[in-house]
Amino acid sequence: MTIALTQTAGSVGTKILSVGSFRPARVVTNAEICARIDSTDEWIQERSGIVERRWAGPDVSVVDMATAAAEKAMASSGISAEALGMVIVATVTHPYVTPSAAAEVQDRIGAANAASMDLSAACAGFSYAVALASDLVRCGTCTHVLVVGVEKLSDWIDHEDRGTAFLFADGAGAVVIGPSDVPGIGPVVWGSDGSQKDAINMTQSFIDYRDVGGDIFPALTMQGQQVFRWAVTEMSKAAQAALDAAGITADQLDAFIPHQANNRITDALVRALALPDTVAVARDITHMGNTSAASIPLAMDALLESGKAPRGGTALLIGFGAGLVFAAQVVTLP
Amino acid sequence: MSQQDILEGLAAIVNEVAGVPVEDVQLDKAFVDDLDIDSLSMVEVVMAAEDKWGVKIPDEEVKNLRTVGDAVTFISANS
Ligand SMILES: CC(C)(COP(=O)(O)OP(=O)(O)OC[C@H]1O[C@@H](n2cnc3c(N)ncnc32)[C@H](O)[C@@H]1OP(=O)(O)O)[C@@H](O)C(=O)NCCC(=O)NCCS
């Protein structure tokens, strides 16, 4: 017999309650990078906007960084760890197949009532997780969700590869998402193009490395121009679609916080979206490099801390990367 | 479409992408050496040109487009 079961219903609106971030202590200059690749400070700055990046040392793990950012976000959220119903950690650099980084973060922050999981969507991971977290609250599955974006990419790059060594870096950012009377997270516009899986991937699988061997430990590899071309054309469309879906226009934005992939991609998106000067544009990459899933919350925290974007203001987020996958949404800043 | 029309369109694109003054974009100018267009700006110029004239400029071909004139010739032959 088919019985109508009870299903939950949640809050009509959701928002980001707070943000927190963790920046590793060690600053790595372009000069240090150029000791291992044939490049120059000038080239790196021109092509990417990166002046320096942060790398975590061997004593700082993905879980350590995630926990540090989570604790900061929790401290300013106004809710207790017990109120969390889910911990989502977006990452592609946790060096264990199992258990997840999220399970450890859940335990370390004392989120005794939370479920936990990792989410693998590379540089789009944070925006994916925000969309899921918002829907979990809207459906009444959870009242509050912790989302962390964290990467330790310095462990997974070939430090002798000219195409990636200067680009990728480490860090973590976290947000707490909960119910809101005023809707503060717009519809997600997302997608996936797995036909471009080779645009950013690994040099080799770990199993092949173990069984067949290889020149280097498996590392990230990237077709830079292919990614650039895709990002500039497709992401401007996705960003515009996210504005449309939220029912706003570009001139209503206070901030634009794209994944900090490369300042040149950001420049092209700003132009394509015809963002007015009144919109603060995140340029956290200058001092942090490309931190994949961590870059958006890190940049959000920096914009708010510096006063360049107002608390309670409206921001467009867009994450994009390996897959290729992407996700964009408009949010109210915490 | 005349070569002059393509040149003017291309000059507008180069100006938009890289801020190069429109009058500097002449047939004999090399993108990299004369106009300071780097490889990423070149990708953007190519994408905008593809859009504007409905041409396909494959990555292998981009390398052959050393001067503005090369690009104008390619676009007029293929659009
Ligand atoms: C990585 C990236 C900066 C490389 O720039 P690029 O212009 O595509 O570089 P190319 O490999 O085409 O090389 C262009 C020139 O720079 C040189 N070059 C390449 N890497 C270099 C380096 N690290 N330092 C100095 N010169 C370099 C090349 O030798 C080439 O010189 P040539 O024209 O004299 O032969 C760029 O492709 C990029 O950022 N793409 C987007 C990637 C991205 O955002 N990924 C993250 C998604 S999550």
Side-chain angles (χ1 to χ4, degrees), chain B:
Chain B
M1 200 177 351
S2 77
Q3 299 242 342
Q4 186 57 32
D5 289 340
I6 296 175
L7 176 61
E8 278 169 22
L10 207 53
I13 290 172
V14 169
N15 173 264
E16 161 86 11
V17 168
V20 177
V22 182
E23 58 276 15
D24 290 2
V25 183
Q26 298 298 336
L27 292 176
D28 61 338
K29 291 281 164 37
F31 287 107
V32 177
D33 297 333
D34 298 324
L35 303 178
D36 238 5
I37 305 286
D38 73 13
S39 48
L40 292 181
S41 293
M42 194 62 194
V43 172
E44 284 191 72
V45 169
V46 164
M47 287 188 304
E50 288 184 338
D51 232 30
K52 188 171 172 73
W53 290 289
V55 284
K56 180 85 200 87
I57 311 177
D59 288 342
E60 317 79 80
E61 192 57 47
V62 175
K63 290 185 205 70
N64 302 328
L65 306 181
R66 202 181 61 82
T67 65
V68 174
D70 295 339
V72 169
T73 307
F74 183 88
I75 292 164
S76 72
N78 292 278
S79 62

Side-chain angles (χ1 to χ4, degrees), chain A residues 38-39 43 47 123 162 222 224-225 259 261-262 265 290, chain B residues 39:
Chain A
D38 175 13
S39 189
W43 190 93
R47 301 300 166 112
C123 309
R162 288 172 103 203
M222 179 174 75
Q225 290 207 2
H259 162 49
N262 181 327
I265 293 176
N290 176 332
Chain B
S39 48

Side-chain angles (χ1 to χ4, degrees), chain A residues 88-107:
Chain A
I88 306 177
V89 174
T91 186
V92 291
T93 49
H94 181 51
Y96 296 86
V97 171
T98 200
S100 68
E104 240 182 297
V105 172
Q106 168 270 316
D107 177 54

Side-chain angles (χ1 to χ4, degrees), chain A residues 33-34 37-40 43-44 46-48 122-124 161-168 199-200 222-231 259-265 285 290 292 320-322 324, chain B residues 32 38-41 43:
Chain A
I33 298 291
C34 294
I37 57 170
D38 175 13
S39 189
T40 61
W43 190 93
I44 295 171
E46 262 179 29
R47 301 300 166 112
S48 69
C123 309
D161 175 30
R162 288 172 103 203
T164 53
F166 67 92
L167 194 62
F168 293 113
I200 310 173
M222 179 174 75
Q223 305 301 319
Q225 290 207 2
Q226 184 183 342
V227 177
F228 184 81
R229 202 181 240 264
W230 172 77
H259 162 49
Q260 301 289 290
N262 181 327
N263 256 344
R264 297 286 293 272
I265 293 176
I285 191 171
N290 176 332
S292 189
F320 48 89
L324 297 171
Chain B
V32 177
D38 73 13
S39 48
L40 292 181
S41 293
V43 172

Side-chain angles (χ1 to χ4, degrees), chain A residues 14-34:
Chain A
T14 55
K15 69 174 176 186
I16 298 175
L17 301 177
S18 60
V19 58
S21 58
F22 174 81
R23 295 167 195 263
R26 190 160 104 75
V27 174
V28 177
T29 62
N30 287 342
E32 184 175 341
I33 298 291
C34 294

